[in-house]
Amino acid sequence: MRIGIFDSGIGGLTTLVACLRYLPDEEYFFFADNANAPYGDRDPGQVRYWTEKAYEQFLAKSVDAVVLACNSATSAAAGTLREHSRKVPVIGIEPAIKKALAAGDGRILLLATELTARGQKLQKLLQGLPGGTDRVDVLACPGLAEIVERQDHQWRKQAGQYWQQHVARAIGAEIRGIVLGCTHYCWLVGDIEQWTGSGCQVFDGNDGVARQLYRQVMGREAPLPGKLPARVRLHFSFSDIAQEKKSLVVRLLASHGMTVEDTCMETDPGPCMRLAR
Ligand code: DGL
């Protein structure tokens, strides 16, 4: 089976990792539109256009399902994509607010991009959940995804500074859960757990997406997550600085103990995956 995974950058790799726990042997096509990142700062109509383009390019690769491993792209485009393009299923990511609310009492802090935080999709989600409108605080974190995307020797320190300056003050004693509403933030899970301490649980939507993907392509409920495979069948491309990103992808997957099968590597965004702009 062939699965397309889309994000504006490396955040989507955290979704890929979650999918590999359920579907370790499939062939994955990962595409990051980093030339147009950060999606979270863009106009939703523009993000919808780029996401639809990416979807079409995935279709050209004969994928069986497309995962929007980007909350911003899901917010802007999942609805219209599902309405108009019925060729292969589109699985979008949603902030794991339901899970966070169900985990216990207290308030929840959702961290997301501006686009996701302001989007109608989030409003609908909050209105549809008991406690969604009165127990959830939403904090937009412009700039945080870019820090994570850099992955240079400074990025963790800078993310820590960002946290202290921008996020820490929003975490009062009544906050019991933090929901990561942007896949980029998932590269910071360990750090965030440390910064917030044990009274606060951290949630993200990656497991939910992976289970939904499994359901869609296998036609049955997902089993318990398994071990990550040692080797991944992965084609990947980026719309900008692809060579630089090649070693980064290999390094990030290696941090989860996985090797990318060389024969499957597609480091240059070929004409097939390049976005028409
Ligand atoms: N990873 C994307 C998300 O989940 C956003 C990053 C960006 O702003 O480009 O929303």
Side-chain angles (χ1 to χ4, degrees), residues 96-97 99-111 135-138 163 167 170-180 192-193 196-204:
I97 297 168
K99 202 167 162 191
L101 286 168
D105 297 334
R107 299 191 66 77
I108 304 298
L109 177 65
L110 166 68
L111 306 179
R135 283 181 55 205
V136 181
D137 300 333
V138 180
W163 190 269
V167 185
I171 309 178
E174 68 289 358
I175 299 284
R176 312 306 291 174
I178 297 205
V179 175
L180 307 183
I192 293 173
E193 279 167 353
T196 52
S198 57
C200 203
Q201 239 186 304
V202 182
F203 301 88
D204 68 67

PDB file of all heavy atoms in Angstrom, residues 96-97 99-111 135-138 163 167 170-180 192-193 196-204:
ATOM      1  N   ALA A  96      -5.716  17.005  19.935  1.00  0.00           N
ATOM      2  CA  ALA A  96      -6.282  15.932  20.774  1.00  0.00           C
ATOM      3  C   ALA A  96      -6.997  16.496  22.011  1.00  0.00           C
ATOM      4  O   ALA A  96      -6.755  16.087  23.156  1.00  0.00           O
ATOM      5  CB  ALA A  96      -5.171  14.964  21.192  1.00  0.00           C
ATOM      6  N   ILE A  97      -7.916  17.427  21.768  1.00  0.00           N
ATOM      7  CA  ILE A  97      -8.596  18.100  22.881  1.00  0.00           C
ATOM      8  C   ILE A  97      -9.545  17.143  23.608  1.00  0.00           C
ATOM      9  O   ILE A  97      -9.635  17.155  24.837  1.00  0.00           O
ATOM     10  CB  ILE A  97      -9.371  19.322  22.357  1.00  0.00           C
ATOM     11  CG1 ILE A  97      -8.377  20.319  21.762  1.00  0.00           C
ATOM     12  CG2 ILE A  97     -10.175  19.988  23.461  1.00  0.00           C
ATOM     13  CD1 ILE A  97      -9.019  21.417  20.973  1.00  0.00           C
ATOM     14  N   LYS A  99      -9.321  13.955  24.009  1.00  0.00           N
ATOM     15  CA  LYS A  99      -8.528  13.074  24.868  1.00  0.00           C
ATOM     16  C   LYS A  99      -8.065  13.824  26.130  1.00  0.00           C
ATOM     17  O   LYS A  99      -8.118  13.294  27.243  1.00  0.00           O
ATOM     18  CB  LYS A  99      -7.313  12.612  24.066  1.00  0.00           C
ATOM     19  CG  LYS A  99      -6.662  11.343  24.538  1.00  0.00           C
ATOM     20  CD  LYS A  99      -5.708  10.904  23.438  1.00  0.00           C
ATOM     21  CE  LYS A  99      -4.687   9.923  23.935  1.00  0.00           C
ATOM     22  NZ  LYS A  99      -3.628   9.707  22.939  1.00  0.00           N
ATOM     23  N   ALA A 100      -7.641  15.058  25.926  1.00  0.00           N
ATOM     24  CA  ALA A 100      -7.139  15.847  27.056  1.00  0.00           C
ATOM     25  C   ALA A 100      -8.261  16.148  28.050  1.00  0.00           C
ATOM     26  O   ALA A 100      -8.074  16.054  29.277  1.00  0.00           O
ATOM     27  CB  ALA A 100      -6.521  17.150  26.546  1.00  0.00           C
ATOM     28  N   LEU A 101      -9.446  16.477  27.540  1.00  0.00           N
ATOM     29  CA  LEU A 101     -10.579  16.768  28.433  1.00  0.00           C
ATOM     30  C   LEU A 101     -10.985  15.514  29.199  1.00  0.00           C
ATOM     31  O   LEU A 101     -11.338  15.574  30.382  1.00  0.00           O
ATOM     32  CB  LEU A 101     -11.777  17.293  27.624  1.00  0.00           C
ATOM     33  CG  LEU A 101     -11.682  18.730  27.107  1.00  0.00           C
ATOM     34  CD1 LEU A 101     -12.784  19.010  26.093  1.00  0.00           C
ATOM     35  CD2 LEU A 101     -11.749  19.734  28.257  1.00  0.00           C
ATOM     36  N   ALA A 102     -10.928  14.377  28.499  1.00  0.00           N
ATOM     37  CA  ALA A 102     -11.360  13.128  29.124  1.00  0.00           C
ATOM     38  C   ALA A 102     -10.363  12.632  30.176  1.00  0.00           C
ATOM     39  O   ALA A 102     -10.705  11.816  31.038  1.00  0.00           O
ATOM     40  CB  ALA A 102     -11.552  12.060  28.050  1.00  0.00           C
ATOM     41  N   ALA A 103      -9.131  13.128  30.111  1.00  0.00           N
ATOM     42  CA  ALA A 103      -8.087  12.608  31.004  1.00  0.00           C
ATOM     43  C   ALA A 103      -8.261  13.056  32.459  1.00  0.00           C
ATOM     44  O   ALA A 103      -7.636  12.512  33.366  1.00  0.00           O
ATOM     45  CB  ALA A 103      -6.713  13.022  30.484  1.00  0.00           C
ATOM     46  N   GLY A 104      -9.099  14.068  32.694  1.00  0.00           N
ATOM     47  CA  GLY A 104      -9.293  14.496  34.081  1.00  0.00           C
ATOM     48  C   GLY A 104      -9.849  15.899  34.144  1.00  0.00           C
ATOM     49  O   GLY A 104     -10.168  16.513  33.124  1.00  0.00           O
ATOM     50  N   ASP A 105      -9.980  16.387  35.365  1.00  0.00           N
ATOM     51  CA  ASP A 105     -10.510  17.740  35.570  1.00  0.00           C
ATOM     52  C   ASP A 105      -9.420  18.777  35.278  1.00  0.00           C
ATOM     53  O   ASP A 105      -8.288  18.430  35.018  1.00  0.00           O
ATOM     54  CB  ASP A 105     -10.980  17.912  37.017  1.00  0.00           C
ATOM     55  CG  ASP A 105     -12.136  16.958  37.309  1.00  0.00           C
ATOM     56  OD1 ASP A 105     -12.846  16.595  36.350  1.00  0.00           O
ATOM     57  OD2 ASP A 105     -12.303  16.568  38.483  1.00  0.00           O
ATOM     58  N   GLY A 106      -9.819  20.019  35.421  1.00  0.00           N
ATOM     59  CA  GLY A 106      -8.847  21.102  35.238  1.00  0.00           C
ATOM     60  C   GLY A 106      -8.906  21.655  33.838  1.00  0.00           C
ATOM     61  O   GLY A 106      -9.639  21.158  32.975  1.00  0.00           O
ATOM     62  N   ARG A 107      -8.129  22.707  33.650  1.00  0.00           N
ATOM     63  CA  ARG A 107      -8.158  23.374  32.345  1.00  0.00           C
ATOM     64  C   ARG A 107      -7.106  22.790  31.404  1.00  0.00           C
ATOM     65  O   ARG A 107      -6.133  22.168  31.834  1.00  0.00           O
ATOM     66  CB  ARG A 107      -7.908  24.879  32.525  1.00  0.00           C
ATOM     67  CG  ARG A 107      -8.954  25.560  33.377  1.00  0.00           C
ATOM     68  CD  ARG A 107      -8.824  27.076  33.294  1.00  0.00           C
ATOM     69  NE  ARG A 107      -9.111  27.585  31.967  1.00  0.00           N
ATOM     70  CZ  ARG A 107     -10.348  27.719  31.491  1.00  0.00           C
ATOM     71  NH1 ARG A 107     -11.387  27.380  32.225  1.00  0.00           N
ATOM     72  NH2 ARG A 107     -10.540  28.214  30.287  1.00  0.00           N
ATOM     73  N   ILE A 108      -7.367  23.032  30.119  1.00  0.00           N
ATOM     74  CA  ILE A 108      -6.479  22.538  29.073  1.00  0.00           C
ATOM     75  C   ILE A 108      -5.958  23.745  28.311  1.00  0.00           C
ATOM     76  O   ILE A 108      -6.717  24.673  28.020  1.00  0.00           O
ATOM     77  CB  ILE A 108      -7.278  21.646  28.066  1.00  0.00           C
ATOM     78  CG1 ILE A 108      -7.993  20.492  28.774  1.00  0.00           C
ATOM     79  CG2 ILE A 108      -6.390  21.143  26.932  1.00  0.00           C
ATOM     80  CD1 ILE A 108      -7.093  19.525  29.469  1.00  0.00           C
ATOM     81  N   LEU A 109      -4.680  23.705  27.970  1.00  0.00           N
ATOM     82  CA  LEU A 109      -4.110  24.763  27.135  1.00  0.00           C
ATOM     83  C   LEU A 109      -3.770  24.168  25.772  1.00  0.00           C
ATOM     84  O   LEU A 109      -3.006  23.199  25.685  1.00  0.00           O
ATOM     85  CB  LEU A 109      -2.846  25.348  27.782  1.00  0.00           C
ATOM     86  CG  LEU A 109      -2.119  26.420  26.970  1.00  0.00           C
ATOM     87  CD1 LEU A 109      -2.981  27.676  26.809  1.00  0.00           C
ATOM     88  CD2 LEU A 109      -0.787  26.789  27.622  1.00  0.00           C
ATOM     89  N   LEU A 110      -4.375  24.725  24.740  1.00  0.00           N
ATOM     90  CA  LEU A 110      -4.082  24.268  23.379  1.00  0.00           C
ATOM     91  C   LEU A 110      -3.085  25.221  22.742  1.00  0.00           C
ATOM     92  O   LEU A 110      -3.310  26.435  22.689  1.00  0.00           O
ATOM     93  CB  LEU A 110      -5.367  24.245  22.536  1.00  0.00           C
ATOM     94  CG  LEU A 110      -5.147  24.103  21.019  1.00  0.00           C
ATOM     95  CD1 LEU A 110      -4.597  22.731  20.662  1.00  0.00           C
ATOM     96  CD2 LEU A 110      -6.423  24.390  20.247  1.00  0.00           C
ATOM     97  N   LEU A 111      -1.992  24.677  22.258  1.00  0.00           N
ATOM     98  CA  LEU A 111      -0.992  25.466  21.542  1.00  0.00           C
ATOM     99  C   LEU A 111      -1.118  25.164  20.054  1.00  0.00           C
ATOM    100  O   LEU A 111      -1.135  23.985  19.664  1.00  0.00           O
ATOM    101  CB  LEU A 111       0.423  25.089  22.019  1.00  0.00           C
ATOM    102  CG  LEU A 111       0.660  25.162  23.523  1.00  0.00           C
ATOM    103  CD1 LEU A 111       2.091  24.729  23.852  1.00  0.00           C
ATOM    104  CD2 LEU A 111       0.399  26.579  24.040  1.00  0.00           C
ATOM    105  N   ARG A 135     -13.432  24.922  29.233  1.00  0.00           N
ATOM    106  CA  ARG A 135     -12.241  24.396  29.921  1.00  0.00           C
ATOM    107  C   ARG A 135     -10.967  24.491  29.091  1.00  0.00           C
ATOM    108  O   ARG A 135      -9.903  24.047  29.531  1.00  0.00           O
ATOM    109  CB  ARG A 135     -12.482  22.927  30.304  1.00  0.00           C
ATOM    110  CG  ARG A 135     -13.379  22.744  31.530  1.00  0.00           C
ATOM    111  CD  ARG A 135     -13.549  21.260  31.842  1.00  0.00           C
ATOM    112  NE  ARG A 135     -12.293  20.579  32.005  1.00  0.00           N
ATOM    113  CZ  ARG A 135     -12.120  19.266  31.801  1.00  0.00           C
ATOM    114  NH1 ARG A 135     -13.128  18.506  31.429  1.00  0.00           N
ATOM    115  NH2 ARG A 135     -10.932  18.714  31.972  1.00  0.00           N
ATOM    116  N   VAL A 136     -11.091  25.035  27.865  1.00  0.00           N
ATOM    117  CA  VAL A 136      -9.910  25.052  26.989  1.00  0.00           C
ATOM    118  C   VAL A 136      -9.464  26.486  26.689  1.00  0.00           C
ATOM    119  O   VAL A 136     -10.262  27.310  26.254  1.00  0.00           O
ATOM    120  CB  VAL A 136     -10.210  24.312  25.655  1.00  0.00           C
ATOM    121  CG1 VAL A 136      -8.974  24.307  24.759  1.00  0.00           C
ATOM    122  CG2 VAL A 136     -10.679  22.877  25.925  1.00  0.00           C
ATOM    123  N   ASP A 137      -8.201  26.775  26.965  1.00  0.00           N
ATOM    124  CA  ASP A 137      -7.606  28.053  26.565  1.00  0.00           C
ATOM    125  C   ASP A 137      -6.812  27.798  25.295  1.00  0.00           C
ATOM    126  O   ASP A 137      -6.135  26.776  25.177  1.00  0.00           O
ATOM    127  CB  ASP A 137      -6.621  28.563  27.639  1.00  0.00           C
ATOM    128  CG  ASP A 137      -7.309  28.784  28.976  1.00  0.00           C
ATOM    129  OD1 ASP A 137      -8.528  29.044  28.969  1.00  0.00           O
ATOM    130  OD2 ASP A 137      -6.626  28.675  30.012  1.00  0.00           O
ATOM    131  N   VAL A 138      -6.903  28.736  24.363  1.00  0.00           N
ATOM    132  CA  VAL A 138      -6.184  28.563  23.096  1.00  0.00           C
ATOM    133  C   VAL A 138      -5.082  29.616  23.009  1.00  0.00           C
ATOM    134  O   VAL A 138      -5.339  30.799  23.204  1.00  0.00           O
ATOM    135  CB  VAL A 138      -7.151  28.714  21.900  1.00  0.00           C
ATOM    136  CG1 VAL A 138      -6.395  28.526  20.582  1.00  0.00           C
ATOM    137  CG2 VAL A 138      -8.305  27.713  22.002  1.00  0.00           C
ATOM    138  N   TRP A 163       9.412  29.485  24.987  1.00  0.00           N
ATOM    139  CA  TRP A 163       8.469  28.942  25.977  1.00  0.00           C
ATOM    140  C   TRP A 163       8.381  29.873  27.198  1.00  0.00           C
ATOM    141  O   TRP A 163       7.298  30.227  27.651  1.00  0.00           O
ATOM    142  CB  TRP A 163       8.925  27.544  26.390  1.00  0.00           C
ATOM    143  CG  TRP A 163       7.914  26.816  27.209  1.00  0.00           C
ATOM    144  CD1 TRP A 163       7.798  26.803  28.561  1.00  0.00           C
ATOM    145  CD2 TRP A 163       6.852  26.009  26.714  1.00  0.00           C
ATOM    146  NE1 TRP A 163       6.728  26.042  28.948  1.00  0.00           N
ATOM    147  CE2 TRP A 163       6.128  25.543  27.820  1.00  0.00           C
ATOM    148  CE3 TRP A 163       6.429  25.632  25.433  1.00  0.00           C
ATOM    149  CZ2 TRP A 163       5.015  24.714  27.698  1.00  0.00           C
ATOM    150  CZ3 TRP A 163       5.325  24.806  25.312  1.00  0.00           C
ATOM    151  CH2 TRP A 163       4.633  24.363  26.440  1.00  0.00           C
ATOM    152  N   VAL A 167       4.902  31.250  26.428  1.00  0.00           N
ATOM    153  CA  VAL A 167       3.926  30.212  26.812  1.00  0.00           C
ATOM    154  C   VAL A 167       3.787  30.070  28.336  1.00  0.00           C
ATOM    155  O   VAL A 167       2.677  29.924  28.854  1.00  0.00           O
ATOM    156  CB  VAL A 167       4.300  28.838  26.189  1.00  0.00           C
ATOM    157  CG1 VAL A 167       3.225  27.798  26.475  1.00  0.00           C
ATOM    158  CG2 VAL A 167       4.519  28.961  24.687  1.00  0.00           C
ATOM    159  N   ALA A 170       1.028  31.451  30.421  1.00  0.00           N
ATOM    160  CA  ALA A 170      -0.357  30.983  30.170  1.00  0.00           C
ATOM    161  C   ALA A 170      -0.651  29.689  30.934  1.00  0.00           C
ATOM    162  O   ALA A 170      -1.771  29.191  30.904  1.00  0.00           O
ATOM    163  CB  ALA A 170      -0.552  30.756  28.672  1.00  0.00           C
ATOM    164  N   ILE A 171       0.373  29.165  31.624  1.00  0.00           N
ATOM    165  CA  ILE A 171       0.174  27.891  32.319  1.00  0.00           C
ATOM    166  C   ILE A 171       0.007  28.130  33.816  1.00  0.00           C
ATOM    167  O   ILE A 171       0.951  28.037  34.601  1.00  0.00           O
ATOM    168  CB  ILE A 171       1.357  26.927  32.051  1.00  0.00           C
ATOM    169  CG1 ILE A 171       1.610  26.839  30.537  1.00  0.00           C
ATOM    170  CG2 ILE A 171       1.056  25.526  32.611  1.00  0.00           C
ATOM    171  CD1 ILE A 171       2.764  25.965  30.150  1.00  0.00           C
ATOM    172  N   GLY A 172      -1.216  28.442  34.194  1.00  0.00           N
ATOM    173  CA  GLY A 172      -1.512  28.620  35.611  1.00  0.00           C
ATOM    174  C   GLY A 172      -1.664  27.257  36.284  1.00  0.00           C
ATOM    175  O   GLY A 172      -1.645  26.215  35.621  1.00  0.00           O
ATOM    176  N   ALA A 173      -1.848  27.291  37.604  1.00  0.00           N
ATOM    177  CA  ALA A 173      -1.936  26.034  38.374  1.00  0.00           C
ATOM    178  C   ALA A 173      -3.125  25.184  37.946  1.00  0.00           C
ATOM    179  O   ALA A 173      -3.129  23.969  38.115  1.00  0.00           O
ATOM    180  CB  ALA A 173      -2.047  26.377  39.855  1.00  0.00           C
ATOM    181  N   GLU A 174      -4.143  25.829  37.383  1.00  0.00           N
ATOM    182  CA  GLU A 174      -5.352  25.079  37.011  1.00  0.00           C
ATOM    183  C   GLU A 174      -5.198  24.348  35.676  1.00  0.00           C
ATOM    184  O   GLU A 174      -6.052  23.549  35.309  1.00  0.00           O
ATOM    185  CB  GLU A 174      -6.571  26.021  37.006  1.00  0.00           C
ATOM    186  CG  GLU A 174      -6.620  27.100  35.940  1.00  0.00           C
ATOM    187  CD  GLU A 174      -5.603  28.246  36.109  1.00  0.00           C
ATOM    188  OE1 GLU A 174      -4.842  28.260  37.091  1.00  0.00           O
ATOM    189  OE2 GLU A 174      -5.562  29.111  35.221  1.00  0.00           O
ATOM    190  N   ILE A 175      -4.102  24.600  34.948  1.00  0.00           N
ATOM    191  CA  ILE A 175      -3.885  23.893  33.670  1.00  0.00           C
ATOM    192  C   ILE A 175      -3.357  22.484  33.972  1.00  0.00           C
ATOM    193  O   ILE A 175      -2.302  22.317  34.566  1.00  0.00           O
ATOM    194  CB  ILE A 175      -2.873  24.661  32.764  1.00  0.00           C
ATOM    195  CG1 ILE A 175      -3.383  26.058  32.418  1.00  0.00           C
ATOM    196  CG2 ILE A 175      -2.538  23.853  31.516  1.00  0.00           C
ATOM    197  CD1 ILE A 175      -4.475  26.131  31.375  1.00  0.00           C
ATOM    198  N   ARG A 176      -4.127  21.471  33.541  1.00  0.00           N
ATOM    199  CA  ARG A 176      -3.747  20.077  33.810  1.00  0.00           C
ATOM    200  C   ARG A 176      -3.290  19.339  32.560  1.00  0.00           C
ATOM    201  O   ARG A 176      -2.802  18.224  32.629  1.00  0.00           O
ATOM    202  CB  ARG A 176      -4.938  19.282  34.411  1.00  0.00           C
ATOM    203  CG  ARG A 176      -5.648  19.945  35.542  1.00  0.00           C
ATOM    204  CD  ARG A 176      -4.735  20.360  36.658  1.00  0.00           C
ATOM    205  NE  ARG A 176      -4.183  19.212  37.385  1.00  0.00           N
ATOM    206  CZ  ARG A 176      -3.270  19.292  38.333  1.00  0.00           C
ATOM    207  NH1 ARG A 176      -2.759  20.458  38.649  1.00  0.00           N
ATOM    208  NH2 ARG A 176      -2.851  18.213  38.967  1.00  0.00           N
ATOM    209  N   GLY A 177      -3.538  19.978  31.409  1.00  0.00           N
ATOM    210  CA  GLY A 177      -3.138  19.316  30.169  1.00  0.00           C
ATOM    211  C   GLY A 177      -2.745  20.326  29.111  1.00  0.00           C
ATOM    212  O   GLY A 177      -3.297  21.423  29.054  1.00  0.00           O
ATOM    213  N   ILE A 178      -1.746  19.951  28.306  1.00  0.00           N
ATOM    214  CA  ILE A 178      -1.328  20.806  27.197  1.00  0.00           C
ATOM    215  C   ILE A 178      -1.518  20.012  25.916  1.00  0.00           C
ATOM    216  O   ILE A 178      -1.049  18.863  25.805  1.00  0.00           O
ATOM    217  CB  ILE A 178       0.144  21.217  27.356  1.00  0.00           C
ATOM    218  CG1 ILE A 178       0.264  22.039  28.630  1.00  0.00           C
ATOM    219  CG2 ILE A 178       0.645  21.962  26.118  1.00  0.00           C
ATOM    220  CD1 ILE A 178       1.367  22.971  28.722  1.00  0.00           C
ATOM    221  N   VAL A 179      -2.242  20.592  24.980  1.00  0.00           N
ATOM    222  CA  VAL A 179      -2.462  19.907  23.707  1.00  0.00           C
ATOM    223  C   VAL A 179      -1.583  20.565  22.649  1.00  0.00           C
ATOM    224  O   VAL A 179      -1.627  21.779  22.460  1.00  0.00           O
ATOM    225  CB  VAL A 179      -3.949  19.982  23.290  1.00  0.00           C
ATOM    226  CG1 VAL A 179      -4.148  19.369  21.911  1.00  0.00           C
ATOM    227  CG2 VAL A 179      -4.831  19.279  24.313  1.00  0.00           C
ATOM    228  N   LEU A 180      -0.796  19.743  21.970  1.00  0.00           N
ATOM    229  CA  LEU A 180       0.077  20.253  20.924  1.00  0.00           C
ATOM    230  C   LEU A 180      -0.702  20.249  19.612  1.00  0.00           C
ATOM    231  O   LEU A 180      -0.898  19.190  19.002  1.00  0.00           O
ATOM    232  CB  LEU A 180       1.348  19.401  20.816  1.00  0.00           C
ATOM    233  CG  LEU A 180       2.108  19.216  22.138  1.00  0.00           C
ATOM    234  CD1 LEU A 180       3.388  18.418  21.913  1.00  0.00           C
ATOM    235  CD2 LEU A 180       2.425  20.563  22.780  1.00  0.00           C
ATOM    236  N   ILE A 192       8.790  19.821  26.693  1.00  0.00           N
ATOM    237  CA  ILE A 192       7.584  20.440  27.261  1.00  0.00           C
ATOM    238  C   ILE A 192       7.183  19.724  28.550  1.00  0.00           C
ATOM    239  O   ILE A 192       6.792  20.358  29.530  1.00  0.00           O
ATOM    240  CB  ILE A 192       6.435  20.443  26.207  1.00  0.00           C
ATOM    241  CG1 ILE A 192       6.815  21.387  25.057  1.00  0.00           C
ATOM    242  CG2 ILE A 192       5.106  20.866  26.831  1.00  0.00           C
ATOM    243  CD1 ILE A 192       5.867  21.381  23.870  1.00  0.00           C
ATOM    244  N   GLU A 193       7.340  18.400  28.550  1.00  0.00           N
ATOM    245  CA  GLU A 193       7.023  17.657  29.777  1.00  0.00           C
ATOM    246  C   GLU A 193       7.915  18.127  30.930  1.00  0.00           C
ATOM    247  O   GLU A 193       7.475  18.269  32.061  1.00  0.00           O
ATOM    248  CB  GLU A 193       7.173  16.151  29.533  1.00  0.00           C
ATOM    249  CG  GLU A 193       5.937  15.585  28.847  1.00  0.00           C
ATOM    250  CD  GLU A 193       6.123  14.178  28.293  1.00  0.00           C
ATOM    251  OE1 GLU A 193       7.264  13.669  28.315  1.00  0.00           O
ATOM    252  OE2 GLU A 193       5.137  13.624  27.823  1.00  0.00           O
ATOM    253  N   THR A 196       6.949  21.801  32.010  1.00  0.00           N
ATOM    254  CA  THR A 196       5.669  21.981  32.704  1.00  0.00           C
ATOM    255  C   THR A 196       5.589  21.199  34.015  1.00  0.00           C
ATOM    256  O   THR A 196       4.771  21.523  34.865  1.00  0.00           O
ATOM    257  CB  THR A 196       4.482  21.547  31.811  1.00  0.00           C
ATOM    258  OG1 THR A 196       4.738  20.240  31.338  1.00  0.00           O
ATOM    259  CG2 THR A 196       4.279  22.483  30.652  1.00  0.00           C
ATOM    260  N   GLY A 197       6.377  20.147  34.151  1.00  0.00           N
ATOM    261  CA  GLY A 197       6.350  19.364  35.382  1.00  0.00           C
ATOM    262  C   GLY A 197       5.259  18.303  35.358  1.00  0.00           C
ATOM    263  O   GLY A 197       4.434  18.251  34.441  1.00  0.00           O
ATOM    264  N   SER A 198       5.233  17.469  36.397  1.00  0.00           N
ATOM    265  CA  SER A 198       4.406  16.264  36.351  1.00  0.00           C
ATOM    266  C   SER A 198       2.902  16.518  36.515  1.00  0.00           C
ATOM    267  O   SER A 198       2.094  15.665  36.196  1.00  0.00           O
ATOM    268  CB  SER A 198       4.870  15.274  37.420  1.00  0.00           C
ATOM    269  OG  SER A 198       4.813  15.930  38.663  1.00  0.00           O
ATOM    270  N   GLY A 199       2.523  17.726  36.985  1.00  0.00           N
ATOM    271  CA  GLY A 199       1.091  17.994  37.177  1.00  0.00           C
ATOM    272  C   GLY A 199       0.345  18.230  35.873  1.00  0.00           C
ATOM    273  O   GLY A 199      -0.866  18.426  35.866  1.00  0.00           O
ATOM    274  N   CYS A 200       1.065  18.227  34.791  1.00  0.00           N
ATOM    275  CA  CYS A 200       0.477  18.614  33.514  1.00  0.00           C
ATOM    276  C   CYS A 200       0.811  17.554  32.456  1.00  0.00           C
ATOM    277  O   CYS A 200       1.971  17.262  32.224  1.00  0.00           O
ATOM    278  CB  CYS A 200       1.106  19.955  33.133  1.00  0.00           C
ATOM    279  SG  CYS A 200       0.158  20.911  32.033  1.00  0.00           S
ATOM    280  N   GLN A 201      -0.235  17.003  31.831  1.00  0.00           N
ATOM    281  CA  GLN A 201      -0.007  15.977  30.817  1.00  0.00           C
ATOM    282  C   GLN A 201       0.051  16.608  29.430  1.00  0.00           C
ATOM    283  O   GLN A 201      -0.655  17.588  29.179  1.00  0.00           O
ATOM    284  CB  GLN A 201      -1.188  15.009  30.844  1.00  0.00           C
ATOM    285  CG  GLN A 201      -0.817  13.563  31.136  1.00  0.00           C
ATOM    286  CD  GLN A 201      -2.043  12.668  30.996  1.00  0.00           C
ATOM    287  OE1 GLN A 201      -3.048  12.923  31.650  1.00  0.00           O
ATOM    288  NE2 GLN A 201      -1.943  11.658  30.157  1.00  0.00           N
ATOM    289  N   VAL A 202       0.851  16.034  28.553  1.00  0.00           N
ATOM    290  CA  VAL A 202       0.978  16.583  27.199  1.00  0.00           C
ATOM    291  C   VAL A 202       0.315  15.633  26.191  1.00  0.00           C
ATOM    292  O   VAL A 202       0.541  14.420  26.249  1.00  0.00           O
ATOM    293  CB  VAL A 202       2.466  16.812  26.830  1.00  0.00           C
ATOM    294  CG1 VAL A 202       2.596  17.419  25.442  1.00  0.00           C
ATOM    295  CG2 VAL A 202       3.131  17.723  27.865  1.00  0.00           C
ATOM    296  N   PHE A 203      -0.500  16.188  25.299  1.00  0.00           N
ATOM    297  CA  PHE A 203      -1.244  15.376  24.326  1.00  0.00           C
ATOM    298  C   PHE A 203      -0.956  15.862  22.905  1.00  0.00           C
ATOM    299  O   PHE A 203      -0.748  17.052  22.685  1.00  0.00           O
ATOM    300  CB  PHE A 203      -2.762  15.521  24.553  1.00  0.00           C
ATOM    301  CG  PHE A 203      -3.201  15.114  25.931  1.00  0.00           C
ATOM    302  CD1 PHE A 203      -3.191  16.041  26.969  1.00  0.00           C
ATOM    303  CD2 PHE A 203      -3.618  13.813  26.189  1.00  0.00           C
ATOM    304  CE1 PHE A 203      -3.592  15.678  28.254  1.00  0.00           C
ATOM    305  CE2 PHE A 203      -4.027  13.449  27.469  1.00  0.00           C
ATOM    306  CZ  PHE A 203      -4.011  14.383  28.499  1.00  0.00           C
ATOM    307  N   ASP A 204      -0.984  14.916  21.962  1.00  0.00           N
ATOM    308  CA  ASP A 204      -0.961  15.341  20.560  1.00  0.00           C
ATOM    309  C   ASP A 204      -1.848  14.414  19.736  1.00  0.00           C
ATOM    310  O   ASP A 204      -2.278  13.369  20.214  1.00  0.00           O
ATOM    311  CB  ASP A 204       0.475  15.386  20.007  1.00  0.00           C
ATOM    312  CG  ASP A 204       1.104  14.026  19.889  1.00  0.00           C
ATOM    313  OD1 ASP A 204       0.629  13.219  19.056  1.00  0.00           O
ATOM    314  OD2 ASP A 204       2.073  13.745  20.633  1.00  0.00           O
TER     315      ASP A 204
END
